[in-house]
Amino acid sequence: MPVSFFSTWTRTLMAAAVIALAVWGLYGNMASAVYPFLLGFFEWMETTWFGVIGKTWGAAFAFVEAIHLLGLAVLGGCVIASDGRLLGLLLTDVDASTLFDRTHRVFVWALSVLIFTGVFMACGVATKIYYLPVYWFKMLALIAGILFHFFIRRPLLQHELDELNPVVTKLVAVASILVWLMVAATGRWIGFSG
């Protein structure tokens, strides 16, 4: 029985282990050992083309930030549409598997835009964000969101909704909304910090 449990839930357990390790690294003694090594990397980020453009041309930084926010809005729309369907609140007249497949494709594109524009913006203010605890919380929330989406939520939704326990699907929807809300909130809080 225990062996079959681990083989059935391998991806979920691996995602939970990575998140637990990241939390331990953020709050444990590992953070003080890793952060000094990362400072050099963050200082190097400011010397890259992205860093120089982001620091020199405020209009370029603002344009990329606008694209970043549009990507966040699209990603949020995908999360609300698909999780709203899981909760039975939105788009109940649309076939669930079609909705999940289409929102997943758009979600992947929006996430790619967010990561690319986020790296550009981080390069422009790398040494500033290095010292902001909220930046590290955002990275932890982003990693948790990506792992949750691709290793827990997406495999679960490969099944028909009728085959799944309704309580589980609703919990997954609420967890998904909360984790992406945390990513957005911590990202916004970076602007208020420092």
Side-chain angles (χ1 to χ4, degrees):
M1 174 83 174
V3 173
S4 65
F5 173 79
F6 287 120
S7 63
T8 304
W9 298 96
T10 303
R11 284 186 254 173
T12 304
L13 292 172
M14 287 176 51
V18 168
I19 292 169
L21 183 63
V23 168
W24 175 76
L26 191 61
Y27 290 110
N29 294 333
M30 190 172 88
S32 60
V34 172
Y35 284 166
F37 293 114
L38 289 177
L39 180 59
F41 176 73
F42 276 70
E43 290 170 342
W44 170 81
M45 284 172 59
E46 286 191 346
T47 65
T48 63
W49 283 14
F50 285 172
V52 171
I53 291 170
K55 286 184 123 176
T56 307
W57 295 323
F61 188 89
F63 177 76
V64 171
E65 187 174 21
I67 300 296
H68 187 77
L69 293 174
L70 287 173
L72 182 61
V74 170
L75 185 134
C78 291
V79 169
I80 289 171
S82 59
D83 291 334
R85 175 66 171 92
L86 279 177
L87 291 169
L89 301 174
L90 300 172
L91 303 168
T92 54
D93 57 336
V94 179
D95 178 52
S97 61
T98 303
L99 178 70
F100 297 147
D101 287 339
R102 290 183 180 171
T103 55
H104 176 71
R105 278 187 257 144
V106 176
F107 177 91
V108 170
W109 279 102
L111 183 63
S112 301
V113 167
L114 284 175
I115 290 172
F116 180 76
T117 56
V119 167
F120 178 88
M121 293 187 318
C123 287
V125 291
T127 53
K128 174 188 171 192
I129 61 174
Y130 172 81
Y131 293 106
L132 294 177
V134 71
Y135 171 76
W136 298 104
F137 291 124
K138 180 192 168 104
M139 291 300 104
L140 181 62
L142 180 63
I143 291 168
I146 291 170
L147 290 173
F148 182 80
H149 182 82
F150 288 102
F151 291 105
I152 298 172
R153 186 181 180 279
R154 179 76 176 152
L156 181 72
L157 296 182
Q158 295 297 321
H159 300 83
E160 291 294 325
L161 280 183
D162 300 339
E163 299 173 10
L164 300 172
N165 184 338
V167 174
V168 171
T169 58
K170 289 184 182 357
L171 287 174
V172 165
V174 169
S176 176
I177 290 170
L178 289 176
V179 74
W180 290 110
L181 183 63
M182 180 63 72
V183 172
T186 53
R188 184 61 195 115
W189 197 257
I190 290 173
F192 292 126
S193 301

